[in-house]
Amino acid sequence: MMTNLKIQVVNSIFEVMETMFFLAAEEQQKSSSKDSALFEFSDLKACCIDFSGGFSGKIYLVAPLALLRLMTEYFLGEKGDNLTDEHIDGTFTEALNMIAGNALRKLDDQPYMGLGLPKLVDPSQVMNIEDYAFFNTVDGPMASFFELTSPDENHKK
Amino acid sequence: MALCVLIVEDSMPMRGVIKKTIKAAGYRTSTFFEAENGQKALEVIESNWVDIILTDFNMPVLNGLELILEMKKDELFKKIPIVMVTTEGSKEKIDEFMDKGAAGYIRKPFTPEQIRDLLSEILGEAEYDDELEDSGGEFDF
């Protein structure tokens, strides 16, 4: 289940980034936060969303402000000068909402899983995670990981 | 006939994107109303004419499904077509939306073509903006 969920989250990031933000994302091979350039950015933002159903957990997304600003420009079709923090934060959390919903609905062997409301979290809380999936876009890096808080008994399969 | 559209979404940027997408689809619109949850949407339709509602499902206070259920209790409001625009794409959930009275649904992420096609299906061929007709109907954000 862990592997299947990770595959769906990664595929969902590709799909959402391309469809809604017109950005091609490419997965990096690195999986440790210690050797990723992403965590050298001083203006990182992070958000998370809860899900529950056959099993429960959280999906996180981490990206630098510069990338989020550009994603917001592409998403809204507005120049950066017109954008507020509310636009950027709202775009970031909505991106995660779409990624999570899109990934979870593709888990065919699971009963319905509901999503919570996406929210911003302190990026320092998630910088030492080892099991990130890292991505590169032409405009900057981003990363995602998930954790299961109430796994079903088959979650390790 | 120009459309009055209500967009119900807790994400302010997504409200803007849906609004732009409907415009890009070429529909002649007179007014866009916006609401950040189902409760605010009910307040909008209490005092404004609305031709169609596009609503998210997952919102605080009153979610999209609860909005449908509230509207179906009212003789006037129950005739307004409601489109779910949502990440909730499981068959089980979509069936529930449709059973409760949604006119259609669009899964996020979506393309402008998906919005246009569904609106055409629900509303029929509405009047299009001349500017878009001149461009050959191509979407241009």
Side-chain angles (χ1 to χ4, degrees):
Chain A
M1 178 48 60
M2 295 284 278
T3 305
N4 193 12
L5 181 56
K6 186 169 183 177
I7 289 169
Q8 296 305 343
V9 170
V10 168
N11 287 339
S12 185
I13 286 173
F14 294 151
E15 186 179 344
V16 170
M17 292 298 283
E18 188 168 338
T19 307
M20 302 305 291
F21 301 100
F22 316 109
L23 277 171
E26 188 175 73
E27 189 177 8
Q28 286 181 277
Q29 292 309 307
K30 292 173 190 170
S31 61
S32 168
S33 57
K34 293 188 179 69
D35 31 75
S36 170
L38 174 68
F39 290 95
E40 292 170 11
F41 285 84
S42 60
D43 56 358
L44 285 179
K45 281 186 170 257
C47 62
C48 81
I49 190 166
D50 295 311
F51 60 89
S52 58
F55 58 98
S56 305
K58 295 172 186 285
I59 300 175
Y60 291 81
L61 196 60
V62 183
L65 182 59
L67 174 60
L68 295 175
R69 183 175 290 281
L70 286 168
M71 283 170 60
T72 307
E73 285 187 26
Y74 301 148
F75 191 53
L76 299 179
E78 298 279 349
K79 292 287 182 190
D81 296 345
N82 300 327
L83 300 178
T84 64
D85 288 348
E86 189 182 2
H87 287 111
I88 294 168
D89 293 347
T91 299
F92 188 30
T93 50
E94 184 59 31
L96 178 59
N97 186 39
M98 288 188 281
I99 289 165
N102 197 36
L104 293 173
R105 76 168 170 250
K106 290 177 180 169
L107 296 172
D108 294 334
D109 57 343
Q110 289 296 320
Y112 168 72
M113 283 195 280
L115 285 175
L117 296 172
K119 61 187 178 202
L120 293 174
V121 295
D122 182 350
S124 67
Q125 293 176 1
V126 295
M127 288 179 74
N128 294 316
I129 304 294
E130 287 301 311
D131 197 23
Y132 270 106
F134 289 99
F135 300 87
N136 269 331
T137 73
V138 289
D139 291 317
M142 65 191 305
S144 176
F145 78 96
F146 63 88
E147 60 186 18
L148 298 184
T149 53
S150 175
D152 72 356
E153 58 187 26
N154 296 319
H155 77 282
K156 290 182 179 174
K157 287 181 182 174
Chain B
M1 182 190 75
L3 294 174
C4 294
V5 181
L6 170 58
I7 300 167
V8 191
E9 237 306 339
D10 58 331
S11 165
M12 180 263 279
M14 183 54 88
R15 292 199 299 270
V17 168
I18 293 171
K19 186 172 164 181
K20 282 193 174 180
T21 303
I22 293 171
K23 284 182 177 175
Y27 276 94
R28 193 186 297 279
T29 48
S30 60
T31 312
F32 277 103
F33 298 104
E34 296 183 25
E36 62 194 44
N37 59 56
Q39 185 60 49
K40 299 274 187 191
L42 290 172
E43 291 168 21
V44 170
I45 59 176
E46 285 282 351
S47 50
N48 298 279
W49 176 264
V50 169
D51 293 299
I52 189 166
I53 296 174
L54 286 87
T55 182
D56 189 12
F57 166 66
N58 198 13
M59 296 178 290
V61 186
L62 195 73
N63 70 33
L65 191 56
E66 292 164 338
L67 171 63
I68 291 177
L69 295 175
E70 284 300 313
M71 289 179 60
K72 293 302 171 189
K73 293 177 187 169
D74 185 286
E75 283 302 313
L76 183 60
F77 298 160
K78 73 179 182 186
K79 294 173 183 167
I80 303 172
I82 305 168
V83 174
M84 301 295 296
V85 185
T86 177
T87 57
E88 300 279 349
S90 68
K91 185 179 182 309
E92 183 183 349
K93 207 70 193 174
I94 296 297
D95 287 348
E96 187 179 6
F97 295 151
M98 302 304 284
D99 288 347
K100 300 296 182 191
Y105 66 91
I106 294 168
R107 286 176 177 153
K108 300 176 190 172
F110 56 78
T111 63
E113 289 82 0
Q114 288 170 320
I115 296 240
R116 179 194 59 192
D117 291 349
L118 185 59
L119 292 186
S120 292
E121 197 180 306
I122 294 168
L123 299 168
E125 293 298 319
E127 284 186 34
Y128 287 85
D129 281 332
D130 295 340
E131 196 175 311
L132 195 89
E133 285 174 358
D134 291 345
S135 72
E138 293 294 319
F139 292 126
D140 181 11
F141 287 96

